[in-house]
């Protein structure tokens, strides 16, 4: 892969579009191997880069630079909803380049929720088998960073819809955990979001596998009769092998809930496609340490069990977490409004067993006001910020019960990302406890 990728960069007039973590990673790969190659970098922010072989395109009109290059390597988080790409310009991304040029076995995992847990489980299962494996992608590690250490036998790649939007290749084993409305502000409606996700299977061949959640009807999104790959629909009522791993998941505190058992079954099916034994799969499930910001136990303070679920950015994920924990007395929720329909979530908040509902700006505030107007009898608290929310949680949560911060929304209205929000919440809980 290495030499082919470098030749690809060398032969093209390259623009790095967006200079965040992934954009800088792309720059580092090019510069380490092609120190004299001239490239462009475009970003809305002003950049200070001491490199005479770089042309910077910064400010409000940074997207105008697209037409000046023949290859644009786009950062995943940048919306192209209203962008017209000039004819002859190739738009790609790190994920696409890795899938096109890598020689290792690629396992790709996408879906609205469950990506990180499922990806990490697959990684642990492959690692348990003794194969060399890397965990990269949307998990927080740009895929081209893998080049620094050399290719492994298996690359487990968490793939967001943004990373899949411009891919022209698919992984050998593709996993779709589920699809629910999200990132509607990034695409032209739900259809655009689904179309991006389905790139994970669109370019598969006859020796590939597509693994999906049997509880969702993916046929309404994709004509599987045209698929070249083997389609495996995973459910929770399989044979003896699945019963054993489900039991192991149920005994692991970090895999609580029906949704996590589904993630385990998806991961196990993917691992079996790679020839991983059931013994290694079971061992990985038993030893799974959980994911930060996903139903993450913070500790018990003043008799209250606190959990951080900052990664839950849609209502369904919040509902799964509350049901999995079983004793949630207080829910802290809310964040950036991205146009998600919260009608069903309003009803859930009104009827679930959670006694204290603490809403953060903006969506939490709106939902709390709606519930108050309806005459909801629960203890509803509108918090101006996380400090007020945590103070209210300590005040109202009953001892022996749980409080979970699970936003059902993006964090970008206040925080850099969900990790930033989760860390702030954890710091406040520990400092006040």
């Amino acid at each position: 892969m290495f030499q082919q990728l470098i030749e690809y960069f060398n032969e093209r007039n390259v623009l790095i579009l967006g200079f965040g973590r992934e954009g800088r990673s792309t720059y580092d790969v090019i510069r380490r191997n092609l120190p004299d190659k001239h490239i462009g970098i475009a970003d809305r922010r002003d950049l200070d880069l001491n490199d005479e072989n770089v042309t910077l395109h910064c400010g409000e009109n940074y997207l105008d630079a697209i037409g000046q290059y023949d290859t644009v390597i786009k950062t995943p988080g940048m919306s192209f909803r209203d962008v017209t790409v000039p004819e002859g310009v190739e738009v790609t991304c790190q994920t696409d380049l890795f899938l096109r040029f890598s020689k290792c076995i690629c396992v790709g995992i996408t879906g609205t929720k469950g990506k990180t847990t499922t990806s990490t489980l697959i990684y642990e299962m492959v690692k348990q088998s003794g194969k060399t494996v890397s965990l990269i992608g949307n998990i927080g590690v740009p895929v081209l960073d893998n080049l620094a250490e050399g290719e492994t036998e298996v690359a487990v790649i968490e793939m967001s819809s943004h990373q899949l939007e411009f891919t022209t290749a698919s992984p050998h084993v593709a996993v779709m955990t589920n699809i629910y409305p999200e990132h509607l502000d990034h695409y032209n409606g739900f259809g655009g979001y689904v179309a991006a996700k389905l790139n994970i299977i669109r370019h598969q061949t006859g020796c590939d596998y597509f693994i999906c959640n049997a509880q969702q009807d993916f046929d309404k999104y994709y004509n599987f009769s045209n698929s070249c790959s083997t389609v495996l629909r995973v459910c929770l009522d399989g044979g003896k092998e699945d019963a054993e791993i489900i039991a192991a998941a149920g005994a692991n505190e970090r895999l609580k809930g029906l949704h996590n058992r589904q993630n385990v079954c998806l991961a196990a099916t993917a691992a079996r496609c790679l020839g991983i034994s059931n013994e290694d799969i079971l061992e990985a499930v038993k030893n799974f340490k959980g994911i930060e910001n996903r139903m993450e136990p913070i500790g018990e303070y003043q008799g209250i069990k606190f959990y951080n679920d900052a990664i839950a950015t849609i209502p369904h994920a919040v509902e799964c977490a509350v049901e999995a924990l079983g004793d949630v007395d207080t829910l802290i929720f809310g964040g950036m409004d991205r146009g998600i329909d919260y009608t069903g979530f309003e009803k859930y908040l009104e009827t679930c067993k959670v006694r204290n509902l603490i809403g953060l700006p903006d969506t939490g505030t709106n939902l709390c006001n709606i519930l108050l107007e309806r005459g909801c009898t629960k203890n509803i608290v509108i918090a101006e910020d996380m400090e007020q929310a945590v103070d209210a949680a300590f005040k109202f949560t009953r001892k022996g019960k749980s409080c979970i911060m699970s936003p059902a929304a993006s964090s970008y209205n206040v925080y850099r990302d969900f990790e930033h929000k989760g860390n702030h919440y954890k710091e406040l809980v520990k400092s006040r406890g």
Side-chain angles (χ1 to χ4, degrees):
M1 170 191 178
F2 183 77
Q3 192 55 43
Q4 286 183 309
L5 180 65
I6 300 309
E7 289 173 4
Y8 169 87
F9 286 140
N10 196 36
E11 293 168 358
R12 286 160 173 78
N13 187 16
V14 173
L15 174 69
I16 298 173
L17 187 58
F19 205 57
R21 177 188 293 173
E22 192 161 302
R24 183 167 287 278
S25 167
T26 303
Y27 168 78
D28 288 342
V29 170
I30 293 174
R31 196 47 81 230
R32 277 198 306 270
N33 297 282
L34 299 168
D36 299 322
K37 179 175 176 57
H38 194 93
I39 62 172
I41 298 176
D43 196 290
R44 185 184 297 274
R45 302 166 299 158
D46 288 332
L47 301 175
D48 183 15
L49 191 65
N50 184 23
D51 187 335
E52 62 182 11
N53 287 317
V54 169
T55 298
L56 294 175
H57 308 270
C58 300
E60 290 297 317
N61 299 319
Y62 73 107
L63 291 174
D64 293 347
I66 292 173
Q68 302 174 33
Y69 297 82
D70 53 39
T71 298
V72 175
I73 304 174
K74 174 186 168 293
T75 191
M78 184 180 296
S79 174
F80 259 37
R81 184 181 60 186
D82 300 316
V83 175
T84 299
V85 179
E87 186 175 350
V89 176
E90 177 193 19
V91 179
T92 184
C93 61
Q94 281 207 7
T95 301
D96 180 46
L97 296 175
F98 193 91
L99 291 173
R100 283 161 60 181
F101 293 115
S102 176
K103 302 303 181 186
C104 64
I105 297 171
C106 293
V107 182
I109 302 90
T110 197
T112 306
K113 286 299 154 191
K115 296 186 295 296
T116 302
T117 300
T118 304
S119 299
T120 309
L121 280 163
I122 295 171
Y123 168 78
E124 295 293 348
M125 291 170 184
V126 177
K127 185 179 177 182
Q128 181 68 35
S129 75
K131 295 180 185 290
T132 58
V133 58
S134 56
L135 179 59
I136 54 180
N138 195 58
I139 196 84
V141 182
V143 295
L144 295 188
D145 282 5
N146 204 44
L147 288 175
E149 299 177 1
E151 287 197 80
T152 53
E153 293 175 80
V154 179
V156 179
I157 313 168
E158 181 183 325
M159 299 175 172
S160 69
S161 57
H162 307 334
Q163 291 166 321
L164 283 164
E165 186 176 8
F166 289 97
T167 54
T168 57
S170 295
H172 171 54
V173 179
V175 180
M176 180 82 77
T177 59
N178 47 54
I179 291 184
Y180 300 101
E182 192 176 37
H183 301 303
L184 303 187
D185 56 333
H186 192 102
Y187 302 96
N188 288 314
F190 186 53
Y193 172 65
V194 172
K197 287 285 190 189
L198 287 172
N199 272 343
I200 199 168
I201 183 178
R202 218 179 296 277
H203 309 287
Q204 286 192 316
T205 64
C207 61
D208 297 329
Y209 298 91
F210 178 64
I211 301 163
C212 60
N213 183 341
Q215 293 178 324
Q216 285 200 312
D217 181 15
F218 287 99
D219 294 271
K220 63 185 177 184
Y221 304 129
Y222 190 81
N223 184 1
F224 287 99
S225 63
N226 293 335
S227 174
C228 296
S229 56
T230 300
V231 178
L232 302 173
R233 301 174 192 266
V234 177
C235 58
L236 290 172
D237 56 357
K240 182 174 181 293
E241 292 176 350
D242 289 328
E244 289 177 342
I245 66 163
I246 289 170
N252 186 329
E253 285 293 304
R254 295 310 307 273
L255 288 170
K256 287 182 176 180
L258 185 64
H259 65 296
N260 270 327
R261 289 196 284 278
Q262 184 72 59
N263 293 336
V264 166
C265 288
L266 289 165
T269 303
R272 289 178 188 134
C273 290
L274 300 174
I276 309 301
S277 70
N278 286 321
E279 290 76 16
D280 288 332
I281 292 170
L282 277 168
E283 196 65 23
V285 171
K286 289 175 183 177
N287 295 325
F288 186 67
K289 298 294 189 287
I291 303 296
E292 189 177 10
N293 295 298
R294 163 45 82 194
M295 290 170 56
E296 175 191 1
I298 302 172
E300 186 170 318
Y301 298 89
Q302 298 183 25
I304 302 165
K305 293 171 283 184
F306 284 90
Y307 291 86
N308 167 34
D309 198 41
I311 202 172
T313 55
I314 63 168
H316 180 73
V318 178
E319 294 169 19
C320 287
V322 170
E323 299 307 310
L325 292 176
D327 67 345
V328 175
D329 197 41
T330 299
L331 171 65
I332 300 172
F333 61 100
M336 180 180 172
D337 189 346
R338 295 170 298 160
I340 295 175
D341 183 359
Y342 284 105
T343 304
F345 192 50
E346 293 166 14
K347 295 176 182 176
Y348 174 79
L349 293 175
E350 202 167 16
T351 58
C352 70
K353 295 179 181 179
V354 179
R355 291 172 63 251
N356 307 300
L357 302 175
I358 303 175
L360 290 165
D362 297 311
T363 58
T365 302
N366 296 338
L367 287 166
C368 283
N369 282 324
I370 290 170
L371 293 174
L372 287 169
E373 289 171 5
R374 286 184 183 172
C376 178
T377 57
K378 293 189 174 186
N379 180 33
I380 297 174
V381 179
I382 297 176
E384 292 183 4
D385 51 33
M386 190 67 78
E387 287 83 354
Q388 286 190 7
V390 171
D391 287 343
F394 274 108
K395 180 177 180 181
F396 295 115
T397 309
R398 291 175 292 178
K399 286 182 170 51
K401 298 291 184 177
S402 294
C403 168
I404 186 169
M405 192 274 289
S406 193
S410 170
S411 303
Y412 296 120
N413 60 328
V414 176
Y415 298 92
R416 290 191 305 273
D417 47 36
F418 70 84
E419 291 101 335
H420 185 203
K421 187 173 191 172
N423 288 334
H424 188 211
Y425 170 67
K426 288 189 286 186
E427 289 166 6
L428 290 170
V429 169
K430 292 174 182 179
S431 67
R432 282 156 169 75

